[in-house]
Structure formats: structure tokens, C-alpha cells
Amino acid sequence: MSQIHAICSLNTLDDFIDEVRTFLGDCRIILLQGDLASGKTTFVQKFAQHIGIKACVTSPTFSVQNEYENRLFHYDIYQNGTAAFIAQGLLEELDKEGWHLIEWGDAELEQILERYLLDYARITITKHDKDTRNYTCIH
């Protein structure tokens, strides 16, 4: 596994997203990890804008999955965990063409992805200061 790292503000996050997309190659599954309010949904919003999605991206905390233009799939498994993600058939959704960004993807989900030979990356987001975040992408 290799990694890239950056400290970004909202104004410089596009540069890191460019770097992530190049770094990941054909990988289209990204697990987003970080504390509450660390910026996971904000990252997905900026990612969506970066790939040309015009829709308003919102957190799928209660719906579990939001889909945008059949090319961005945004999941949040905080409320119900990995077991519910699997039970709801969302693992099969990962076969769809497009980007799959999963907030709160944990070690259990990573083990399942590995078991099914699904290529994924993990981005950990932590607060650096009031206006910037540390982003570490491991693939």
C-alpha cells in the first residue's frame, strides 16, 4: 500500500482531489474516515463538483445512500454499521460504474472488500486548524 497526504483548505481541496484521482487509477471505491464534523461530507461535495456533478450533495446519514447522475454513489454507514450495509444489498451497488464514496467505512468493511477482491482506498480526514484539514489517502 502507498499513500499521499495533503493539508488543504476548501480553496485548495480541488488540487488534492486531482492528485487522488490520478493516484487511484481505476480504483473507484473510497472509504472516508474521520471524527464527526471532520469534513467527510464536505470532501464528497467538493469531489462531486470536481467531476462535474451539478446536484446539491447532501449527507445520506438517514437514507444510507444517495446517487448522483449514475456516476457518484455516496454512502453513510454511521447509523447502522457495516452489517446493515451488507444486509441492505449495498455491497452489490459497488459493482456499478462510477465513484463510490463511503463515509464511516471501517476495518470490518475493509475486510469484506478484500474478501470480495474489490479495490478500494481509504482517506482519513483530521482537523489541522479552523480552516484546514489533513487528508491522507492510502491505496
Side-chain angles (χ1 to χ4, degrees):
M1 296 191 124
S2 55
Q3 71 179 24
I4 56 174
H5 174 80
I7 297 173
C8 304
S9 67
L10 278 178
N11 294 333
T12 61
L13 189 51
D14 284 323
D15 294 336
F16 181 67
I17 291 170
D18 270 339
E19 189 177 353
V20 165
R21 291 181 64 200
T22 299
F23 176 68
L24 295 183
D26 292 334
C27 176
R28 295 291 182 262
I29 300 171
I30 302 173
L31 308 182
L32 298 168
Q33 300 174 339
D35 292 335
L36 283 171
S38 61
K40 295 178 294 296
T41 299
T42 300
F43 180 87
V44 177
Q45 291 167 337
K46 290 291 279 184
F47 193 95
Q49 290 171 358
H50 191 80
I51 64 171
I53 291 176
K54 304 286 187 238
C56 177
V57 173
T58 59
S59 176
T61 300
F62 299 104
S63 63
V64 182
Q65 178 195 36
N66 290 339
E67 182 178 327
Y68 301 97
E69 299 178 16
N70 285 328
R71 56 195 181 107
L72 177 66
F73 304 87
H74 181 197
Y75 311 84
D76 186 326
I77 61 175
Y78 179 76
Q79 292 291 325
N80 299 310
T82 299
F85 180 82
I86 303 301
Q88 293 173 2
L90 294 174
L91 187 63
E92 289 79 15
E93 290 287 298
L94 300 178
D95 287 334
K96 289 184 176 179
E97 268 308 302
W99 290 94
H100 298 268
L101 281 69
I102 306 170
E103 294 189 37
W104 299 100
D106 57 12
E108 181 182 10
L109 181 56
E110 287 186 52
Q111 291 172 349
I112 291 167
L113 296 174
E114 288 169 7
R115 186 177 321 132
Y116 288 99
L117 304 175
L118 294 170
D119 190 20
Y120 71 94
R122 179 179 354 106
I123 295 179
T124 303
I125 305 168
T126 57
K127 290 183 181 180
H128 181 70
D129 61 30
K130 181 177 160 258
D131 298 318
T132 60
R133 302 289 187 261
N134 288 307
Y135 296 89
T136 302
C137 181
I138 298 173
H139 180 242

